[in-house]
Amino acid sequence: VDSGKVAIIGSGLIGRCWATLFLRGGYSVMLYDVISEQLGGAMSAVVEKLRVMEKEGLLREGQTAEELAKRVTSSSSLKDAVEGAVYVQECTPENVSLKQKVFGELDSLADDDVILASSTSCIMPSVFTSDLQHKAQCIVAHPINPPHYIPLVEVVPSPWTSQTVVSSTMDIMRSLGQSPIRAKKEVNGFILNRLQYALIMEAWRLVEDGIASPEDVDQAVVEGLGMRYSFMGVFETMHINADGMEDYCKRYGANITEVCKSQTPPRALGGDTLATINDAMIKKIPLEKLKEKREWREQRLAALVSHTAEMKSQE
Ligand code: NAD
């Protein structure tokens, strides 16, 4: 079955990932890029990604990379890309004025039904959709890299996004096999990065205040928090770490509030602390080894995906 046409606007790192997810989800995909020479390479990269997913057993039953690859096309015309699309995923570089320009162009080409979604990691949708005729159809669907291993998608509406667009976007993300969460209203940093930045800031503070070495702070996450949080959330962990949530808050709540009073104000990420943390990281992973380490991380994520799938099948 063909679920319809999806247009991917911007065929870089994230555009290519979205293309493979939509193909696996049963959509046909048209890639568009302002640099048309880039499209050939992007098409081959998508096909290669599909092959890897096939090898790793990440395609759906009965699907082959070869068959899915027949459903991806490209165009150097934005009009062709958007024409007949049920869903548009914008994946251009993270820059406010560019997003405003691209959404302005999409607005002039959109019909009254298409969903216009942005992959932006942190720009609030109201910032680039306020003047548009189709602003009720605009939304953020923020993936986490690499999205074929990390299922979370943050769905962030602006104040004027229609509820139908919010729920259809959530449904489409689920149909791709992703796990969408929904921000009830837009906020700087959305959800995931607000959590991540709180942790980054405290890690920084612990080093800056001479409490712990960068290596030990990282170890606290890898050998401690991260172990739990890879399969159980913050609230669920609280709930089972005492006799339920209420008991947890009764026992530990006051101290948590007290500790958090000492966690302000935020620090600037620079100066001597940056030098200390940078030295520690370079010692661990020299810059020329970053690529290798990224590949290693992808392999470990693939193994974690199989583990999580097995865990869910037993639930
Ligand atoms: P990228 O630089 O790899 O790709 C951007 C692509 O957009 C390029 O191919 C470029 O030629 C094209 N482009 C530039 N101007 C354009 C225009 N006017 N019309 C059409 N295409 C245009 O960037 P990326 O890493 O894929 O990021 C894209 C978006 O996804 C950003 O908003 C980013 O914040 C978000 N995002 C990135 C990641 C990540 O880890 N890279 C994760 C989540 C979200």
Side-chain angles (χ1 to χ4, degrees), residues 12-14 32-35 38 91-94 99 119 121 143 145:
L13 183 72
I14 284 300
Y32 165 80
D33 204 288
V34 79
I35 307 173
Q38 177 140 315
C91 310
T92 63
E94 190 77 344
K99 301 281 185 202
S119 302
S121 312
N145 194 38

